[in-house]
Amino acid sequence: MSFFSRHRQEQQGGIDLNGRSSILCQALGLFVLICLSGGSVAQTSVISTTDSGPSRWAPDNPQALDDKRPELNICAFEWKPYSYLDGDKVSGVLVDLVNAMDLPYRLRFNFMPLPRCRAAVKQGQQDLILYSSTPDPDLVMASVPVQYHISGVIVKAGSGHKHFTGLPQFSGKTIGVLRGNPIYKSLKHYEGVHWQLQNSGESMWKMLMRGRLDGAIGDYLSLTPLQVYRSGEVEFLKPALYATPIHMAANRSVAETLIPLINGYLKQSLEDGSVDHAYVKHGVEPFTIIRTMAVDFERHQQEKLREAGAFVGHN
């Protein structure tokens, strides 16, 4: 059974603990975007390639031969709700937004692992990546984000934690985090917390539900569509632990034409509600809520800095 078939069953409440743990490994494990710029990457290998947009662009439609516009290769990977394959159809929040842009190109979406995707755009083998969080000399990022990676602490209902006030509130408690998660590098100095490194999101989810973990580091938007969240079995503590803006980014060879068009459209779409509509269409909370969480995170960070500065000044 595919992840997405399992997700649909989960939303209907018809899946057991093992199935739910497979789904929630997405919520607990989507951390790779925070460190996209590091590491060596093997030669690009496309997992699946498909046309998107109006049917006239499909290879078996003769009208496609009359479309003389240059092809724009857009690199993505399967990350619901942002970009995913629904059968042979490309779908997702970001896919919808890109398809709605009046771009002077024929659009083609290519799915591959995220590190390879980024490398392909850097090398000019692909033109646009939907996900970028770190500056790169070979890429030009759009300035208008319509996605945030919101990381935080997920707890089982009835844990007694209603808000996230800082890791000291988990002093003496055990929190799960995926092995290799770069977030852990900035967290492990909190010695009062017992960090339990996990090899998979599935094992971490099972331990949380069975009470062997007091919390787990996870991704907000991947969690919220799931029945276990909507039914109140688990909670995401606010404010978030981290809020990272994710941008579309283009290879420099096409950026001069492409990025201003993307920025203009995304700005307009935020103003007229199209971005919120795309999020709701794909079964998740409106982007307005996500952006508010990111703003709250930044405000919380600024408050902590002011408090630290006041403490230093007082002493």
Side-chain angles (χ1 to χ4, degrees):
M1 183 186 296
S2 70
F3 166 77
F4 299 113
S5 297
R6 221 176 255 150
H7 175 81
R8 285 191 289 270
Q9 287 192 15
E10 163 66 10
Q11 287 185 311
Q12 296 167 2
I15 201 164
D16 61 16
L17 176 62
N18 291 331
R20 288 191 296 181
S21 63
S22 297
I23 297 168
L24 213 40
C25 72
Q26 295 284 327
L28 297 171
L30 282 172
F31 58 83
V32 68
L33 289 166
I34 296 176
C35 60
L36 284 174
S37 60
S40 60
V41 182
Q43 182 177 358
T44 299
S45 173
V46 176
I47 289 181
S48 59
T49 302
T50 180
D51 286 307
S52 182
S55 60
R56 67 176 181 273
W57 294 345
D60 58 351
N61 191 327
Q63 294 182 16
L65 300 176
D66 298 328
D67 194 336
K68 303 302 182 182
R69 293 176 299 173
E71 188 172 76
L72 185 74
N73 282 289
I74 303 168
C75 192
F77 80 115
E78 295 206 28
W79 183 6
K80 203 168 186 178
Y82 304 110
S83 59
Y84 58 95
L85 294 172
D86 185 7
D88 61 353
K89 179 184 177 183
V90 182
S91 190
V93 172
L94 300 184
V95 171
D96 286 357
L97 292 175
V98 172
N99 276 330
M101 298 179 186
D102 186 18
L103 299 177
Y105 303 97
R106 290 180 292 113
L107 306 184
R108 189 172 185 87
F109 290 87
N110 304 298
F111 281 70
M112 63 187 74
L114 187 58
R116 294 180 182 178
C117 181
R118 184 175 175 86
V121 179
K122 283 165 57 70
Q123 296 163 8
Q125 299 167 350
Q126 299 286 307
D127 301 306
L128 180 71
I129 183 172
L130 297 180
Y131 313 101
S132 183
S133 61
T134 54
D136 189 286
D138 297 319
L139 302 177
V140 177
M141 290 200 299
S143 61
V144 182
V146 289
Q147 177 191 359
Y148 285 89
H149 185 226
I150 306 290
S151 301
V153 180
I154 300 170
V155 297
K156 190 176 178 181
S159 68
H161 299 285
K162 298 302 181 182
H163 306 282
F164 181 70
T165 58
L167 287 175
Q169 79 186 85
F170 288 92
S171 180
K173 305 295 184 180
T174 302
I175 297 181
V177 59
L178 283 180
R179 194 179 302 276
N181 188 335
I183 293 177
Y184 178 59
K185 294 180 180 179
S186 63
L187 301 179
K188 62 182 180 181
H189 65 279
Y190 288 96
E191 298 179 353
V193 173
H194 302 300
W195 296 104
Q196 181 70 251
L197 297 179
Q198 299 290 309
N199 292 323
S200 72
E202 180 175 351
S203 64
M204 187 158 62
W205 167 238
K206 288 181 178 178
M207 291 182 69
L208 177 65
M209 294 306 294
R210 292 170 181 171
R212 296 176 62 186
L213 292 175
D214 299 296
I217 304 299
D219 172 67
Y220 177 72
L221 201 61
S222 298
L223 176 70
T224 54
L226 304 184
Q227 181 64 26
V228 288
Y229 176 82
R230 293 183 174 182
S231 65
E233 293 180 62
V234 296
E235 301 173 349
F236 185 97
L237 299 183
K238 301 176 183 178
L241 185 61
Y242 288 101
T244 306
I246 309 299
H247 304 259
M248 299 181 189
N251 182 274
R252 288 194 174 275
S253 64
V254 296
E256 184 176 356
T257 298
L258 185 60
I259 292 300
L261 294 175
I262 290 176
N263 283 334
Y265 175 78
L266 293 181
K267 181 179 179 181
Q268 176 186 341
S269 298
L270 286 171
E271 293 172 351
D272 65 19
S274 297
V275 175
D276 276 351
H277 176 75
Y279 271 75
V280 173
K281 172 186 172 183
H282 290 277
V284 292
E285 296 180 345
F287 177 72
T288 303
I289 293 178
I290 308 302
R291 185 169 54 182
T292 298
M293 289 182 67
V295 171
D296 289 344
F297 166 78
E298 292 295 338
R299 181 166 54 244
H300 184 64
Q301 293 299 106
Q302 292 298 322
E303 290 174 355
K304 290 198 297 185
L305 289 174
R306 284 195 297 269
E307 291 173 0
F311 177 80
V312 171
H314 180 73
N315 288 274

